[in-house]
């Protein structure tokens, strides 16, 4: 990936240090810094109003408030997050990653390393998003399969059908009614509960 002038960054200063040096280094590297926040309190509002491509956080050690704001952002409007911190430690890094930090970098970083770090965060974020999407699809398929199996069991018991006959009946009814097999199965299960 190459640096693009269209890559929009939101800087969050979670320290007492001025961010002018980091801002200048990012701008010199070809990034567009669209907004700066003093602390994480305005993070959600700025993400919503400015739609940055990446969030850069400068902190001594991430506070609970910062991690909570990142977790909320991760649910509402996920973005790659690069956190530059003075303090590491496994527990701190785990908490940051769990909150949605894509890259956690301890200590100050030379300007020449900014682009590779940001690129790595983008790639990792995209890979994580792809894996989360795939996991959700597999979970949905499994849930659908369970519904279909329960519906088949109900038909087999109530109508004295074989498994193959119950499945064929479900499939035929789903096609006739224009429903997914899982949705028809859900309806059958709910109706069965009502009828006892």
């Amino acid at each position: 990936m190459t640096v693009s002038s269209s890559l929009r960054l939101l800087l969050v200063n979670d320290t007492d240090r001025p961010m002018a040096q980091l801002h200048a280094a990012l701008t010199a590297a070809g990034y567009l810094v669209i907004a700066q926040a003093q602390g994480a309190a305005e993070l959600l509002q700025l993400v919503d109003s400015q739609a940055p491509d990446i969030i850069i956080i400068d902190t001594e050690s991430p506070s609970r408030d910062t991690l909570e704001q990142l977790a909320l952002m991760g649910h509402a409007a996920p973005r790659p997050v690069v956190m530059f911190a003075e303090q590491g430690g496994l527990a701190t890094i785990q908490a940051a990653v769990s909150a949605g930090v894509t890259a956690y970098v301890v200590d100050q970083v030379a300007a020449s390393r900014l682009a590779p770090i940001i690129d790595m965060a983008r790639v990792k974020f995209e890979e994580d998003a792809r894996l989360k999407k795939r996991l959700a699809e597999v979970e949905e398929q499994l849930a659908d399969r369970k519904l279909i199996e329960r519906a088949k069991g109900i038909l087999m018991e109530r109508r004295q059908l074989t498994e193959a006959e119950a499945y064929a009946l479900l499939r035929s009814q789903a096609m006739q009614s224009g429903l997914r097999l899982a949705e028809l199965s859900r309806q059958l299960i709910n109706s069965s509960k009502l009828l006892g």
Side-chain angles (χ1 to χ4, degrees):
M1 289 184 190
T2 58
V3 175
S4 167
S5 61
S6 64
L7 193 58
R8 301 160 38 92
L9 306 182
L10 167 62
L11 295 184
V12 178
N13 189 358
D14 203 24
T15 70
D16 294 330
R17 286 191 300 273
M19 291 189 62
Q21 187 177 3
L22 179 58
H23 185 286
L26 289 165
T27 303
Y31 295 103
L32 177 62
V33 178
I34 57 170
Q36 282 188 228
Q38 189 61 40
E42 55 187 322
L43 181 63
L44 290 174
Q45 182 267 330
L46 282 172
V47 167
D48 186 48
S49 66
Q50 300 294 319
D53 298 311
I54 295 183
I55 314 296
I56 307 286
I57 300 176
D58 189 18
T59 185
E60 290 175 14
S61 180
S63 68
R64 187 179 73 228
D65 290 342
T66 298
L67 296 178
E68 287 174 2
Q69 289 298 312
L70 285 173
L72 290 171
M73 183 198 74
H75 292 294
R79 302 280 194 288
V81 177
V82 176
M83 183 172 282
F84 295 109
E86 290 182 7
Q87 299 175 11
L90 184 58
T92 302
I93 294 169
Q94 286 175 328
V97 170
S98 292
V101 172
T102 317
Y104 189 98
V105 182
V106 178
D107 213 357
Q108 295 298 314
V109 175
S112 62
R113 289 188 50 218
L114 287 173
I117 290 169
I118 290 171
D119 287 346
M120 188 278 305
R122 291 171 57 199
V123 169
K124 173 118 176 54
F125 177 81
E126 290 167 4
E127 179 65 14
D128 286 352
R130 187 187 65 74
L131 290 173
K132 286 177 186 175
K133 180 181 177 193
R134 179 67 183 128
L135 178 61
E137 290 169 354
V138 169
E139 287 174 341
E140 182 180 8
Q141 290 171 354
L142 181 60
D144 288 353
R145 189 128 193 85
K146 287 179 180 179
L147 288 172
I148 294 166
E149 291 300 318
R150 281 186 63 199
K152 282 192 313 188
I154 291 168
L155 288 175
M156 290 166 61
E157 180 185 321
R158 296 224 174 142
R159 297 193 63 190
Q160 305 301 311
L161 299 174
T162 66
E163 184 176 356
E165 290 170 334
Y167 182 76
L169 181 59
L170 276 173
R171 190 164 179 236
S172 170
Q173 188 60 42
M175 287 175 26
Q176 287 176 10
S177 58
L179 294 173
R180 290 180 48 242
L181 194 55
E183 185 54 38
L184 178 68
S185 296
R186 181 179 285 108
Q187 290 178 6
L188 176 68
I189 292 165
N190 290 337
S191 297
S192 174
K193 287 178 186 175
L194 285 175
L195 299 174

